[in-house]
Amino acid sequence: MATVWVLGDQLNTGIGALRSADKTRDTVLMIESHAKISSRPWHRQRLHFYLSSMRHFADDLRADGWTVDYRAAETMSSGLRTHVAEHSPSEIVATEPNSVTARDLLMRLGVRLVESDQFLTTVGDFSAWAATRKQLRMEDFYRRQRVRLGYLMDGDEPVGGQWNFDHENRKPPPKKGPWPWPAPPVTTPDEIDTAVVASLPDSCTGAAPHGTWATSRTEALGRLAHFVDHVLPLFGPHEDAMLSHNWHLAHSMLSPYLNNGLLLPREVCDAVQAAHDEGRVPIASAEGFIRQVIGWREYVRGLYWLWMPGYERENSLGARRPLPPLFGDTSLTHMACVASAVGAVHDRAWAHHIERLMVMGNLALVAGIDPAAMTNWMWESFVDGAEWVMVPNVVGMALHADGGKMATKPYAAGGAYIDRMSDHCKGCRYDRKKRTGDDACPFTTLYWDFLLRHDERFVRNPRMSTQVRAAQKLADTDAVRRRAAEVLQMLDSGRL
Ligand code: SF4
């Protein structure tokens, strides 16, 4: 009799060690580690989502005839030791973990690891692809994935005659309202959900769970069906837009379930492909979504394993500023866009990709916030946060801390971009057009200051040189630098 150890982000019977286990003979082990739970100031909804999903999954397994040893322990190691002492399994087997730390721990503990098929690309496949490339371009990887996996393909050619409809999916908010943004489903908490809420430690941050996130496989499948039927037809054109009165727009919000295993990427993509084949969704919507799942998500995870460990410590721009207090309290800022994005994280442990990259990430980039501090905050604060997601997205994509290994240019922007893509600037105390003066938009000031601070580095970058030269030609560079120093002091003291 073997023990199959299932970690909290591997909650699916269709993957790895659990798929090849025998429920009439083997025992499933699941451990809630007190050390892990109390290791960070997790957002309440994030921690609740993981713990409640684990407990629901254990119940589903039992109902399906599995023997499950679900235990709370001081650490993972002590939980395993007690399990072994009580059950004397012939061996311990697990699916390859999704983090370097967990993989190293399980290997130290003598657990036999089964290759993970929780993703569509194995770590070995990605490394083999990377070894053949001079540049690891996402678009090249994505096209290879389309051909290899067969999504939205017509023979050897992409359906619709082009690989990528991204240019159709960057529209600003719709000018005329009201836009029919589909309301997200809400889950009514059951006994398990309620018990988990009561057990959350005081160290947690953010608002208490209120049903935004499903915590079982059945509910996650319901979220997928809702997305395909009601959201996907609108998905795409305005996915980069930000609105002060609508937090979800037409985003899928399926990433938490993909990241903890309640949903698998193949079933999600199959559902989208089927909706497209039935003529229910336009190609730009289907392609935009499938690109995120088989392209971006797999690419980020591949880079994580390719460059870890060590990648999480990269800091090529020498950014040392601690996390500003406004990331924990939106009353400390008058910046309408930042208050909205950080407020969304507080309320639901979620904000969409442009709020992550171009508001919170952009602020961290132009203000010189320490990449590790920013990575940790995002990992702790987002319901879909995991190390493999956050390290490449923060260190590589948002903060350019890897010196351009992942993104060929830093995603720095002033108030003009945020004004174009949102309705925040109209109601903001700051003026997005101004770079100096008491009412200058902090993004605009810090954007120009960022270009001036790093001009030597980025003037040689073909995607940045025009902006850097424009900064060097400004007539008021001294005033910009003075205002930037004031802004940074206000940011540090929580009065911005
Ligand atoms: Fe954000 Fe600047 Fe616009 Fe205010 S003016 S909402 S700080 S971009």
Side-chain angles (χ1 to χ4, degrees):
M1 179 200 79
T3 286
V4 182
W5 188 359
V6 175
L7 303 181
D9 57 357
Q10 300 174 332
L11 307 182
N12 203 294
T13 52
I15 58 169
L18 203 47
R19 179 160 52 82
S20 49
D22 181 346
K23 65 182 169 190
T24 65
R25 198 185 57 210
D26 301 326
T27 297
V28 172
L29 170 65
M30 298 177 74
I31 302 173
E32 282 184 16
S33 156
H34 176 70
K36 178 85 179 162
I37 288 169
S38 56
S39 62
R40 293 167 172 272
W42 302 110
H43 193 296
R44 278 180 185 78
Q45 291 178 51
R46 184 198 187 282
L47 188 54
H48 179 267
F49 170 68
Y50 272 87
L51 294 177
S52 187
S53 296
M54 285 176 70
R55 294 186 196 180
H56 279 98
F57 184 67
D59 271 9
D60 287 349
L61 288 176
R62 289 188 191 102
D64 191 35
W66 291 84
T67 302
V68 180
D69 178 22
Y70 191 102
R71 56 179 59 235
E74 188 52 36
T75 64
M76 293 290 207
S77 307
S78 65
L80 179 66
R81 268 198 307 277
T82 321
H83 168 82
V84 169
E86 291 176 14
H87 293 261
S88 305
S90 55
E91 69 167 345
I92 313 289
V93 58
T95 304
E96 280 174 340
N98 293 321
S99 77
V100 170
T101 308
R103 180 200 62 186
D104 292 352
L105 172 69
L106 267 59
M107 287 172 73
R108 272 201 311 278
L109 294 171
V111 176
R112 180 169 69 83
L113 298 182
V114 173
E115 186 173 65
S116 174
D117 49 3
Q118 190 172 351
F119 291 78
L120 296 165
T121 320
T122 66
V123 172
D125 280 348
F126 188 89
S127 306
W129 171 78
T132 65
R133 319 296 299 185
K134 272 193 188 145
Q135 261 194 318
L136 304 181
R137 289 182 64 231
M138 203 301 270
E139 183 64 22
D140 297 338
F141 173 73
Y142 166 57
R143 292 184 187 190
R144 177 180 176 269
Q145 293 284 81
R146 285 275 293 279
V147 172
R148 186 172 73 83
L149 299 167
Y151 286 115
L152 301 177
M153 293 298 293
D154 185 3
D156 293 338
E157 297 300 317
V159 169
Q162 60 191 69
W163 293 99
N164 189 318
F165 289 80
D166 196 29
H167 61 280
E168 292 181 27
N169 289 347
R170 291 185 183 163
K171 296 194 172 124
K175 291 254 182 304
K176 290 184 187 144
W179 195 253
W181 306 115
V186 176
T187 296
T188 305
D190 62 12
E191 280 180 18
I192 293 176
D193 290 319
T194 307
V196 173
V197 170
S199 72
L200 295 175
D202 293 341
S203 54
C204 282
T205 63
H210 40 62
T212 300
W213 306 110
T215 51
S216 69
R217 164 88 175 152
T218 304
E219 291 262 355
L221 286 169
R223 298 298 179 101
L224 172 59
H226 177 272
F227 168 66
V228 172
D229 291 343
H230 302 290
V231 183
L232 185 59
L234 293 170
F235 181 87
H238 300 288
E239 67 179 287
D240 288 1
M242 297 174 275
L243 287 175
S244 49
H245 61 277
N246 189 299
W247 62 273
H248 49 78
L249 307 177
H251 289 279
S252 77
M253 292 182 287
L254 296 177
S255 52
Y257 317 115
L258 287 164
N259 289 1
N260 80 345
L262 289 181
L263 294 177
L264 294 179
R266 189 173 290 281
E267 66 188 335
V268 167
C269 291
D270 286 351
V272 172
Q273 171 84 57
H276 176 265
D277 292 347
E278 291 159 15
R280 292 194 282 138
V281 297
I283 180 65
S285 299
E287 189 280 325
F289 180 80
I290 284 182
R291 175 160 27 92
Q292 289 187 9
V293 178
I294 71 169
W296 183 251
R297 184 170 184 272
E298 301 270 327
Y299 174 76
V300 162
R301 188 252 190 172
L303 293 181
Y304 170 84
W305 284 105
L306 195 64
W307 291 334
M308 286 288 283
Y311 189 64
E312 78 282 19
R313 292 191 296 275
E314 295 206 13
N315 191 354
S316 73
L317 298 180
R320 306 268 176 243
R321 186 171 303 283
L323 199 71
L326 65 81
F327 278 93
D329 181 355
T330 56
S331 72
L332 299 174
T333 184
H334 298 289
M335 300 169 76
C337 54
V338 172
S340 175
V342 175
V345 177
H346 172 273
D347 292 348
R348 298 174 203 88
W350 187 86
H352 73 65
H353 65 292
I354 291 298
E355 291 165 326
R356 297 183 197 205
L357 179 66
M358 298 309 295
V359 177
M360 294 177 281
N362 186 19
L363 179 63
L365 172 67
V366 295
I369 292 169
D370 176 46
M374 192 64 186
T375 303
N376 284 333
W377 180 77
M378 294 192 96
W379 182 4
E380 292 152 9
S381 305
F382 282 82
V383 67
D384 54 6
E387 188 182 54
W388 68 265
V389 180
M390 289 310 180
V391 168
N393 271 305
V394 176
V395 171
M397 191 69 186
L399 299 196
H400 206 72
D402 64 356
K405 273 158 77 174
M406 185 174 176
T408 49
K409 66 163 205 154
Y411 282 82
Y417 173 84
I418 294 171
D419 185 42
R420 188 164 67 250
M421 298 308 296
S422 80
D423 62 356
H424 293 308
C425 296
K426 287 184 199 76
C428 184
R429 164 178 170 168
Y430 296 111
D431 182 341
R432 57 101 181 158
K433 289 188 185 147
K434 289 191 179 172
R435 57 178 172 261
T436 59
D438 288 349
D439 61 345
C441 167
F443 272 114
T444 303
T445 306
L446 292 177
Y447 165 73
W448 290 111
D449 184 60
F450 174 82
L451 294 176
L452 292 169
R453 261 186 282 142
H454 299 290
D455 60 345
E456 283 185 21
R457 173 188 293 265
F458 292 126
V459 78
R460 293 189 298 276
N461 181 326
R463 296 186 70 198
M464 290 293 290
S465 56
T466 305
Q467 297 164 56
V468 172
R469 288 191 206 290
Q472 290 169 329
K473 284 184 194 150
L474 290 176
D476 57 354
T477 53
D478 288 346
V480 167
R481 287 192 165 108
R482 274 198 306 277
R483 177 60 187 165
E486 288 169 13
V487 166
L488 291 173
Q489 200 195 13
M490 286 155 60
L491 183 69
D492 293 340
S493 62
R495 291 184 290 110
L496 188 58

